[in-house]
Amino acid sequence: MLQFLRKPRQVAALAPSSRALAKAMVEQVPHRAKRIAELGPGTGVFTRCLVDHGIAEQDLTLFEINPRFADLLAHRFPRAVLHRLPAQELAGVAGGPFDAVVSGLPLLSMTAAEQEAILDAAFARLAPDGAFIQFTYGPASPVRRGICGKLQLTFTRTRRIWANLPPATVYVFRRARVPARILDMEPAADAWTTRCLEPT
Ligand SMILES: C[S@@+](CC[C@H](N)C(=O)[O-])C[C@H]1O[C@@H](n2cnc3c(N)ncnc32)[C@H](O)[C@@H]1O
């Protein structure tokens, strides 16, 4: 709460995410995933859930720019690799390829250029079938129009987590492997909704 009052645009939430939202995020991590990058872990709600899910702490790479949260994470997860850097710098650090990027970043309050830099950096370090997992409080994809098309990404929207305050929806972005016009005709069987590359 205090960090939100100090840096509202950066923190963008009055309280840490609920355990219910953390579980919904971690459910989207691909089976047999080993190395995970987490962006904007804050107090470490998703980090804890990832460790409980079986991800080894030393296989976690965290990016957190808030010094208070970074100190807390260093204390709570001493074996994780912690970068006190913006997520935009993910492509420039050692480590990976990552099987998933779990993001608690406030994408909705970022500019299109910031969003594109983050997704571009993440997909530069993700394995070819890696997933970028993001939640949003909004009613639609948190990634601004045109960016998925430009970076050749598809996305899947999963269920809304009503137990979270405010309710949140988890989105999973992946690099497209087939032309957009084919994706247009092939909704995924394992998800509630699949959207295709939007027109640029
Ligand atoms: C909405 S909070 C989410 C915290 C936690 N993941 C959760 O769900 O409770 C957003 C977090 O992202 C961090 N953050 C914002 N912009 C960032 C950036 N460009 N790079 C890394 N961390 C960032 C903030 O400091 C904050 O900890």
Side-chain angles (χ1 to χ4, degrees):
M1 171 85 129
L2 195 60
Q3 294 305 308
F4 170 76
L5 293 174
R6 286 194 175 136
K7 298 180 177 164
R9 190 175 163 262
Q10 200 182 86
V11 175
L14 275 167
S17 296
S18 64
R19 182 84 185 160
L21 178 56
K23 281 169 104 173
M25 293 285 283
V26 172
E27 264 172 27
Q28 299 304 322
V29 168
H31 293 303
R32 288 189 287 278
K34 183 171 155 57
R35 277 186 289 260
I36 311 278
E38 188 183 349
L39 313 180
T43 57
V45 178
F46 299 163
T47 325
R48 172 65 57 213
C49 201
L50 285 163
V51 172
D52 292 349
H53 186 71
I55 303 296
E57 212 179 289
Q58 58 270 27
D59 288 328
L60 287 168
T61 300
L62 314 177
F63 285 78
E64 176 54 65
I65 52 172
N66 182 305
R68 287 284 175 90
F69 289 152
D71 289 346
L72 199 63
L73 293 164
H75 178 70
R76 289 187 174 160
F77 306 99
R79 289 186 296 279
V81 180
L82 172 64
H83 295 289
R84 296 166 186 260
L85 291 173
Q88 289 85 328
E89 296 190 27
L90 170 61
V93 303
F98 298 106
D99 301 306
V101 172
V102 171
S103 168
L105 295 173
L107 282 193
L108 279 183
S109 51
M110 292 183 178
T111 63
E114 287 170 323
Q115 288 194 353
E116 188 179 334
I118 288 164
L119 284 161
D120 201 21
F123 278 92
R125 280 312 178 93
L126 272 167
D129 53 355
F132 184 101
I133 304 161
Q134 172 74 50
F135 74 88
T136 181
Y137 302 129
S141 164
V143 175
R144 285 168 202 270
R145 228 178 145 67
I147 296 178
C148 283
K150 197 166 169 190
L151 299 181
Q152 295 285 295
L153 307 180
T154 61
F155 65 81
T156 299
R157 188 182 75 209
T158 73
R159 69 200 150 93
R160 193 145 182 87
I161 310 301
W162 293 101
N164 197 69
L165 281 177
T169 306
V170 176
Y171 281 74
V172 184
F173 296 81
R174 286 194 167 80
R175 188 77 86 180
R177 292 192 197 200
V178 288
R181 61 190 162 71
I182 295 177
L183 285 169
D184 268 333
M185 295 180 271
E186 302 268 356
D190 63 343
W192 281 260
T193 317
T194 295
R195 282 288 169 72
C196 310
L197 295 167
E198 350 101 309
T200 47

